[in-house]
Amino acid sequence: MPKQRITKEMVVSAAFEIARSDGMEQVMVKSIAEKIGCSVQPIYSYCKNMEGLRQDVTQKVCSFIGEYVKTHIDKDDIFTSTGRTYIQLAKKEPHLFKIFILHKREDIASLEDLYQSEASPDTAEFISKKLDVSIEQAKKLHLNMLIYTIGIGTIFSVTTPGISADEIYEQQEAAYNAFLSQMTEDKE
């Protein structure tokens, strides 16, 4: 039987699957080799160090989450459905959600930087039109909800046996109403 050619993509994919099912802390050379069905030597040839491999896995996680959100949001209600999609993702893929939330973000020195790196400009435009508010107000509301959803999603992903999604959605709605009320008061 010919030897299987191990590729970097196979190594990263195996590491991704381990991170997905067991968390990033379980991504180790030995577990990757077992998953692929090879010795540790091919793994070492692609991984000069585990940090580089973990960065590759994190990049794959971010791509997966971007695709997940894109395919699960309601195009007619981008704002609300995006928040709910992140909560669904936290429940369905808790290890990937944690990796996504906790990965290091470079060149972020303000909340505006965070917003620019994490949010789609389409969402602020959608909110602005839907609520008849300025783009700046829409961005502020969106940033507040982004921060809130990341926080509550993180809590949701690490609790057992788990908070019900309906309770989380109620909290999101309450936060939205509070932020919207504050925005309306500031407008007056």
Side-chain angles (χ1 to χ4, degrees), residues 50-81:
M50 287 305 290
E51 186 56 35
L53 177 61
R54 286 190 176 107
Q55 287 174 354
D56 290 342
V57 172
T58 298
Q59 195 171 33
K60 190 170 177 88
V61 167
C62 291
S63 295
F64 174 89
I65 288 178
E67 207 44 49
Y68 182 94
V69 170
K70 201 183 305 180
T71 59
H72 286 80
I73 60 170
D74 176 356
K75 303 281 191 237
D76 295 326
D77 190 3
I78 295 170
F79 185 56
T80 304
S81 69

Side-chain angles (χ1 to χ4, degrees), residues 122-169:
D122 297 344
T123 305
E125 290 173 20
F126 175 85
I127 296 166
S128 174
K129 287 177 185 164
K130 183 176 180 179
L131 299 177
D132 192 29
V133 297
S134 72
I135 291 288
E136 285 309 308
Q137 289 172 312
K139 284 181 179 179
K140 185 175 180 182
L141 177 61
H142 189 206
L143 176 61
N144 285 336
M145 287 306 298
L146 180 68
I147 292 167
Y148 188 84
T149 297
I150 288 169
I152 201 163
T154 302
I155 292 167
F156 187 58
S157 71
V158 298
T159 56
T160 57
I163 302 166
S164 80
D166 288 339
E167 188 175 354
I168 298 295
Y169 296 149

Side-chain angles (χ1 to χ4, degrees), residues 3-8 11 28-34 36-50 53:
K3 273 188 157 183
Q4 178 182 12
R5 168 120 169 84
I6 306 300
T7 65
K8 182 176 182 179
V11 172
M28 296 175 269
V29 172
K30 185 178 177 187
S31 60
I32 296 167
E34 287 174 9
I36 295 174
C38 68
S39 71
V40 297
Q41 187 54 44
I43 311 305
Y44 283 119
S45 68
Y46 289 112
C47 310
K48 300 298 181 219
N49 61 49
M50 287 305 290
L53 177 61

